[in-house]
Amino acid sequence: MSATDVQLQTAPPRAARVATWLYFGLNGFAVGMWVVHIPSIEQATGITHSTLGLLLLVLGAAAFTGMQIAGPLVDKIGQRRLVPAAGILLGLALAGPGLATNWWTLGIALIFVGFGNGSIDVGMNAQAVVVERGYPRPIMAAFHAMWSIGGAIAAVVGAATLRAGVPTEVTLALAGVVCIVLSLIASRFLLEATEPAEEVAEAPRAKPSAKLVWALGGLAFGLMLSEGVANDWAALHFRDILGTSVSTAAYAYGAFAVAMTVGRFLTDRVAAVVGPAAIVRWGAAMAAVGLTLVIVIPWVPVALVGWAIFGLGLAGGVPQLFTAAGNLDPRSSGALMARVVGLGYVGLLAGPALIGGLAHWMPLNIAFILPVVLCVLTFLGGPVLKRGTPGR
């Protein structure tokens, strides 16, 4: 462990690891429950698709604001206070969209959902960095895999309740209660970080280079923009470009999502051997190859493989970037992570919109050249992690 590592207090690392898994899982579950119920909420509130699109921008802006406020708060009041509070806020807010009756009540509800989501996103990632310091090997990617597992659980639960005719407001309220209960249970096992006494006595260290922080944020922007493209356009690529049925088109996103989840469970062991910079660089290269296959070979079996390779390549990069940001300076870990996470989130929101705009001027598969270029740039910029990752 390096001299900049922090002392871990309150709970053993293994218990804190499980607790952090729960927070990632409940966050993915909460977001997934909202997404699954978007069609029914749109119908209940009587809004149009265009109005929904504007309200989703409100949700994104609120999440970004929550990230920027939560980051400094993590450093000021501590993770054991902020992370559970954010989880409880998200749980309470989750009931709001189900109770909305028109566009403005839904807008207010989504402000709270977005703020809670952004706050817990930064807080749980900052906690994951602290927990990881208690281990001799990387474990960050597995936390992000749990977010995906939470979303998958939400898809199954949401589909079952919708099929059973359970009112949306009841389902979302109960899901919110689950989030609150899990937040309270897991809170006692979180770790807090304090500077070692010998480091406090030393002269103040220089702040991390702003260029380095922006570089990490730029890489996160590119990778998460690429992820957003797959989330929103993979199935449409199959339907519109390859001419498949709607049911077959669903396999495109499924191949991407499954490969990404599996990849995140595998990434930590690989990162322990090759290092974070190699994960980001060669993962981005793999993603570029996978999406290039999708672009140039209009055949369903090859395209499925291409989307899977794309997901596998993107799986490990973002967790490495978040870890690097959180370790730049333990005294301001939350604030630094908020910048990098925030820029990544902007990319996640911008990707689908940019591809949609390009698709007005060119075929959809040609528009996918944009994320391919960003993946190539990430490959070229990946070595910046060697400057942003302290030695163990």
Side-chain angles (χ1 to χ4, degrees):
M1 303 287 282
S2 67
T4 60
D5 287 328
V6 293
Q7 293 175 330
L8 305 176
Q9 299 179 339
T10 304
R14 185 175 297 275
R17 184 180 181 183
V18 173
T20 308
W21 273 342
L22 284 176
Y23 280 109
F24 273 83
L26 76 85
N27 183 216
F29 177 74
V31 172
M33 290 299 286
W34 149 246
V35 170
V36 167
H37 287 88
I38 286 178
S40 60
I41 292 171
E42 185 182 44
Q43 183 178 11
T45 54
I47 61 175
T48 63
H49 291 333
S50 59
T51 300
L52 175 64
L54 292 174
L55 291 177
L56 291 177
L57 290 178
V58 172
L59 173 69
F64 183 81
T65 301
M67 292 175 186
Q68 303 314 306
I69 292 176
L73 277 178
V74 166
D75 303 320
K76 185 175 181 179
I77 68 175
Q79 298 173 9
R80 297 190 72 241
R81 293 181 179 178
L82 185 135
V83 177
I88 292 170
L89 173 61
L90 180 59
L92 291 172
L94 192 57
L99 299 173
T101 56
N102 49 46
W103 70 266
W104 65 267
T105 53
L106 180 58
I108 292 174
L110 292 182
I111 289 174
F112 286 100
V113 171
F115 190 87
N117 181 52
S119 298
I120 195 172
D121 199 332
V122 168
M124 69 189 185
N125 274 288
Q127 174 65 191
V129 170
V130 173
V131 173
E132 189 178 47
R133 293 185 187 129
Y135 283 79
R137 57 185 175 83
I139 59 172
M140 174 64 90
F143 291 128
H144 286 251
M146 288 302 300
W147 193 96
S148 299
I149 296 298
I153 293 172
V156 173
V157 172
T161 55
L162 287 169
R163 191 180 303 113
V166 179
T168 297
E169 61 269 24
V170 173
T171 302
L172 290 182
L174 290 176
V177 170
V178 170
C179 292
I180 292 171
V181 171
L182 289 177
S183 292
L184 292 173
I185 292 174
S187 63
R188 60 176 297 193
F189 301 108
L190 295 180
L191 298 177
E192 200 60 89
T194 58
E195 296 279 355
E198 61 271 20
E199 186 162 307
V200 174
E202 294 177 358
R205 295 187 304 148
K207 291 184 178 180
S209 165
K211 291 182 179 180
L212 178 56
V213 177
W214 280 106
L216 293 174
L219 294 176
F221 176 89
L223 291 180
M224 293 184 71
L225 185 149
S226 300
E227 180 181 344
V229 168
N231 290 342
D232 283 35
W233 291 102
L236 289 172
H237 163 258
F238 263 46
R239 188 194 69 183
D240 296 345
I241 301 300
L242 302 185
T244 70
S245 65
V246 175
S247 58
T248 300
Y251 288 115
Y253 174 70
F256 170 82
V258 170
M260 173 170 272
T261 302
V262 172
R264 283 180 168 169
F265 278 118
L266 298 175
T267 291
D268 290 327
R269 294 185 182 279
V270 179
V273 177
V274 303
I279 291 292
V280 172
R281 296 192 71 208
W282 296 107
M286 181 186 298
V289 169
L291 195 55
T292 299
L293 289 176
V294 171
I295 294 170
V296 302
I297 304 180
W299 188 35
V300 170
V302 174
L304 277 174
V305 172
W307 282 116
I309 294 174
F310 189 54
L312 191 62
L314 293 178
V318 169
Q320 308 308 310
L321 294 171
F322 288 178
T323 294
N327 282 317
L328 287 176
D329 185 353
R331 298 167 301 180
S332 56
S333 177
L336 293 171
M337 183 166 287
R339 297 178 198 173
V340 176
V341 175
L343 283 171
Y345 192 77
V346 170
L348 189 67
L349 295 175
L354 288 173
I355 295 299
L358 291 174
H360 283 294
W361 302 95
M362 62 187 71
L364 180 59
N365 59 324
I366 303 302
F368 289 159
I369 292 175
L370 173 62
V372 170
V373 170
L374 290 174
C375 287
V376 172
L377 292 176
T378 300
F379 171 79
L380 297 175
V384 74
L385 268 79
K386 294 180 180 179
R387 293 189 287 131
T389 306
R392 283 186 178 274

